[in-house]
Amino acid sequence: MEILAFGVQSDEKPLIERAFAGKHEVRCLDVFLNRDTAPIAAGYEIVSTSVNADLGGAVLQTLAAGGTQLIAQRSTGFNNIDLDVAERLALRVSRVSYYSPYSVAEFAWTLAMAVNRRVIRAAGRTRDFDFRLDGLLGRDMHGRTVGVIGTGKIGEAFTRIAHGFGMKLLGWDVAENPACVELGMRYVDKERLLAESDLVSLHVPLLPPTHHLIDKDALALMKDDAILVNSSRGGLVDTSALVGELRAGRFLGVGLDVYEAEAGLFFLDKSLEGVDDDTLARLVTFPNVIVTSHQAYYTEDAVGQIIDATVRNVDDYLAGRHSDNVLVPARPGP
């Protein structure tokens, strides 16, 4: 069986080839799956995709017409997949329901501390042999309040680090995590969390109820000198509203590893083309903002676990087994 893998990063390719070695052949492409590239998959029963793939109805139609029967997505999130259309087309869809939560939690803290301690500005200065401290004043995290929105596996890992800093812990979620409560977290309503927190970090999935969870009204509740970090999904934050608040001089810092219009931008080199996204272009000009390209998960440990889970998903499909990673089971359409 030859598998076609879209959106494979150069660091990821040898890990994928090694994981499938002796089982199946795998053809790795650095292009992302979208309407233009979907015809490449013709004749491939199994296609593996990355988190930024376009798996809307039109692309799924093309895949199904070309003979694809399994889509094995190499990510936990699946908001890019039209599951209803996949089910109608009898396409089996799997994902990776779990990988190292520490990769994302640690990177979220990397962003938080980088904006707090002005690391990017400081490094740029010293590269020019400018060793002044003006404008680099940060603050201790110890004793301050962190608000964790979403306290699942990643949120819990983030909370444990916050506990290590000696912070006061506030949480918001549909259900309390006993491990976070044991660390001293108090669960409060979202409005109180936003109003009282010095640092707010987002760790919830992107679903219709969470789209623009942090909108203009939510941002208005936050402290003027708060830090906001989003390492989950870009659509959780109304970016236009955020830019408006930043233009008004609010927030000590903002760290974003995701962006709501990142498809077609992130994971690609646009340095010679320029970007026609005015909101993103404005966002990256603020000196208290760091934007990275959806790399929080990108550690050897996490990527290795994602690939191993993808291999198991392929094996399960070929053996006719079901697992918790299956989002859409293969079955005849209407």
Side-chain angles (χ1 to χ4, degrees):
M1 178 71 67
E2 186 176 19
I3 298 159
L4 183 62
F6 284 94
V8 177
Q9 304 296 314
S10 58
D11 296 328
E12 187 183 12
K13 183 178 179 181
L15 300 177
I16 290 179
E17 292 175 339
R18 189 180 311 129
F20 278 103
K23 291 188 173 186
H24 310 288
E25 294 183 20
V26 59
R27 179 186 174 195
C28 294
L29 303 179
D30 59 2
V31 298
F32 296 97
L33 179 61
N34 54 40
R35 292 190 183 200
D36 295 329
T37 61
I40 300 173
Y44 286 90
E45 181 178 341
I46 300 174
V47 169
S48 179
T49 59
S50 62
V51 67
N52 266 10
D54 173 5
L55 286 162
V59 172
L60 294 174
Q61 290 276 3
T62 301
L63 294 179
T68 297
Q69 296 184 39
L70 170 66
I71 298 169
Q73 177 139 301
R74 303 186 307 277
S75 73
T76 296
F78 53 90
N79 54 286
N80 61 318
I81 308 173
D82 191 326
L83 299 179
D84 291 334
V85 172
E87 186 171 9
R88 288 200 302 271
L89 295 170
L91 286 167
R92 175 156 160 159
V93 181
S94 65
R95 63 158 178 164
V96 177
S97 58
Y98 174 86
Y99 62 85
S100 168
Y102 310 108
S103 60
V104 179
E106 291 171 4
F107 194 81
W109 269 108
T110 300
L111 290 175
M113 295 307 295
V115 295
N116 175 37
R117 301 306 301 269
R118 319 295 189 187
V119 173
I120 303 300
R121 180 184 294 179
R125 283 185 183 179
T126 55
R127 201 172 288 120
D128 293 330
F129 302 106
D130 178 353
F131 302 105
R132 293 173 301 154
L133 297 182
D134 295 343
L136 303 183
L137 189 67
R139 61 188 185 187
D140 292 357
M141 286 297 180
H142 179 84
R144 286 189 160 80
T145 300
V146 62
V148 186
I149 295 183
T151 56
K153 292 182 177 67
I154 296 173
E156 178 187 331
F158 183 90
T159 299
R160 290 187 182 280
I161 298 171
H163 181 261
F165 273 110
M167 302 186 75
K168 300 172 185 175
L169 310 174
L170 297 180
W172 180 85
D173 208 330
V174 293
E176 295 186 3
N177 183 334
C180 292
V181 173
E182 187 175 344
L183 291 170
M185 174 173 280
R186 289 183 295 126
Y187 280 84
V188 296
D189 60 54
K190 185 183 70 173
E191 290 71 22
R192 179 178 173 187
L193 181 148
L194 293 170
E196 296 184 8
S197 297
D198 300 294
L199 164 63
V200 174
S201 190
L202 309 181
H203 301 286
V204 294
L206 179 59
L207 301 168
T210 61
H211 181 255
H212 284 183
L213 184 70
I214 305 300
D215 57 12
K216 183 175 178 59
D217 291 339
L219 292 166
L221 291 171
M222 294 177 62
K223 296 179 178 182
D224 288 344
D225 61 350
I227 295 172
L228 174 65
V229 173
N230 184 12
S231 57
S232 184
R233 287 293 182 268
L236 299 175
V237 177
D238 183 339
T239 316
S240 295
L242 176 61
V243 168
E245 297 299 305
L246 289 165
R247 291 183 64 183
R250 301 191 64 223
F251 305 134
L252 175 68
V254 174
L256 304 175
D257 185 51
V258 287
Y259 173 59
E260 58 182 324
E262 68 183 55
L265 292 174
F266 282 20
F267 305 147
L268 299 172
D269 182 0
K270 296 288 185 178
S271 59
L272 299 180
E273 303 173 32
V275 172
D276 59 4
D277 186 322
D278 292 339
T279 302
L280 178 60
R282 184 70 180 92
L283 188 64
V284 299
T285 64
F286 291 104
N288 57 335
V289 174
I290 295 177
V291 179
T292 52
S293 54
H294 207 141
Q295 70 181 81
Y297 77 98
Y298 205 52
T299 67
E300 291 181 7
D301 310 80
V303 172
Q305 291 167 13
I306 289 169
I307 293 170
D308 288 345
T310 302
V311 173
R312 290 195 299 273
N313 289 341
V314 170
D315 290 342
D316 286 345
Y317 161 75
L318 294 172
R321 295 188 297 262
H322 186 87
S323 77
D324 292 339
N325 285 342
V326 176
L327 295 168
V328 179
R331 66 190 190 196

